[in-house]
Amino acid sequence: GENVEQHPSTLSVQEGDSAVIKCTYSDSASNYFPWYKQELGKGPQLIIDIRSNVGEKKDQRIAVTLNKTAKHFSLHITETQPEDSAVYFCAASMMGQAGTALIFGKGTTLSVSS
Amino acid sequence: ETGVTQTPRHLVMGMTNKKSLKCEQHLGHNAMYWYKQSAKKPLELMFVYNFKEQTENNSVPSRFSPECPNSSHLFLHLHTLQPEDSALYLCASSLSTRTENSPLHFGNGTRLTVT
């Protein structure tokens, strides 16, 4: 089955710096890779996703890159702000019994200090 | 404002109690999910329902019993739980079970503590 590894587990940056979170996956059939942000006391929220036919996707200060050959994908946050502080999860799709299931990484706690 | 509402937000129960978690989605989705979130672990998929029918049970112990009376409501009935079942239980919904075409929307979870 699919296995998703996420690094680092914690990341501390100064406001204005960039932050990069990396994930690797094992199932070459995976074709969808979302990123979720979870703030304290809330459920995860989708912030950006990428499909296997695309190498990079950008949305304002966040971007995701995908290297299918190496089976890894990364989240890039530029010009970080204190409100970016949260836990970030990557995920990869896996075909299940009746649809596609998402396999999640263990999460990265990002702290942005001002 | 989340379109997926979970109640209660917090629950403390003894190992011999019976309780239920409730989830309601206002997004017109057809698929609903239960996930378990424990510290330092990935989100674990427990159950999947599609058009009220259970399509996936991820080897979850029988002390967890899901119920989906319609596409908008999902319950998780709990009985004779163990302390290691303490976790955040997240409900999610999506338009279909093809999550690459219909992203998951999560509720804010129920923080469960088993004493």
Side-chain angles (χ1 to χ4, degrees):
Chain A
E2 176 69 280
N3 184 46
V4 176
E5 298 284 338
Q6 183 172 347
H7 299 279
S9 56
T10 59
L11 180 58
S12 296
V13 300
Q14 291 286 322
E15 183 177 1
D17 287 351
S18 294
V20 180
I21 302 170
K22 298 182 178 181
C23 289
T24 60
Y25 62 99
S26 59
D27 187 352
S28 55
S30 292
N31 62 359
Y32 174 66
F33 308 91
W35 286 87
Y36 283 82
K37 175 184 180 182
Q38 186 174 23
E39 296 175 335
L40 200 61
K42 295 189 176 180
Q45 275 199 301
L46 178 70
I47 54 171
I48 195 168
D49 55 15
I50 192 167
R51 297 172 199 284
S52 58
N53 58 347
V54 175
E56 183 173 0
K57 185 177 177 181
K58 245 183 158 178
D59 183 5
Q60 299 181 7
R61 292 187 299 108
I62 59 173
V64 58
T65 59
L66 171 66
N67 183 326
K68 278 192 66 179
T69 306
K71 289 192 248 176
H72 63 71
F73 56 113
S74 302
L75 178 72
H76 304 252
I77 306 174
T78 58
E79 300 171 34
T80 54
Q81 300 165 6
E83 50 266 38
D84 294 330
S85 297
V87 181
Y88 291 82
F89 294 94
C90 64
S93 63
M94 183 187 75
M95 280 302 295
Q97 296 171 14
T100 43
L102 288 181
I103 306 302
F104 287 85
K106 289 185 180 180
T108 296
T109 302
L110 174 64
S111 300
V112 181
S113 51
S114 52
Chain B
E1 183 69 33
T2 177
V4 180
T5 304
Q6 290 187 243
T7 54
R9 290 299 310 273
H10 302 272
L11 178 62
V12 179
M13 59 186 288
M15 289 190 282
T16 57
N17 290 159
K18 286 185 182 181
K19 296 285 184 183
S20 295
L21 310 185
K22 180 182 175 183
C23 176
E24 184 175 1
Q25 57 96 1
H26 315 275
L27 301 168
H29 288 169
N30 300 308
M32 296 189 79
Y33 310 76
W34 280 117
Y35 279 86
K36 177 182 178 183
Q37 186 175 33
S38 306
K40 309 296 183 189
K41 284 187 172 183
L43 283 160
E44 298 172 56
L45 179 63
M46 300 175 71
F47 301 104
V48 181
Y49 278 82
N50 193 30
F51 290 97
K52 305 189 302 177
E53 299 298 319
Q54 185 176 313
T55 58
E56 194 137 352
N57 174 341
N58 229 17
S59 304
V60 180
S62 58
R63 57 185 184 269
F64 295 91
S65 173
E67 179 191 359
C68 188
N70 54 61
S71 292
S72 300
H73 293 85
L74 185 64
F75 296 89
L76 188 62
H77 305 299
L78 316 170
H79 64 99
T80 57
L81 294 192
Q82 306 297 311
E84 58 265 29
D85 296 323
S86 299
L88 182 69
Y89 288 85
L90 290 162
C91 173
S93 70
S94 61
L95 189 59
S96 79
T97 54
R98 295 300 300 263
T99 48
E100 69 272 27
N101 297 326
S102 55
L104 292 179
H105 293 253
F106 284 90
N108 288 331
T110 294
R111 173 68 62 185
L112 173 68
T113 304
V114 181
T115 60

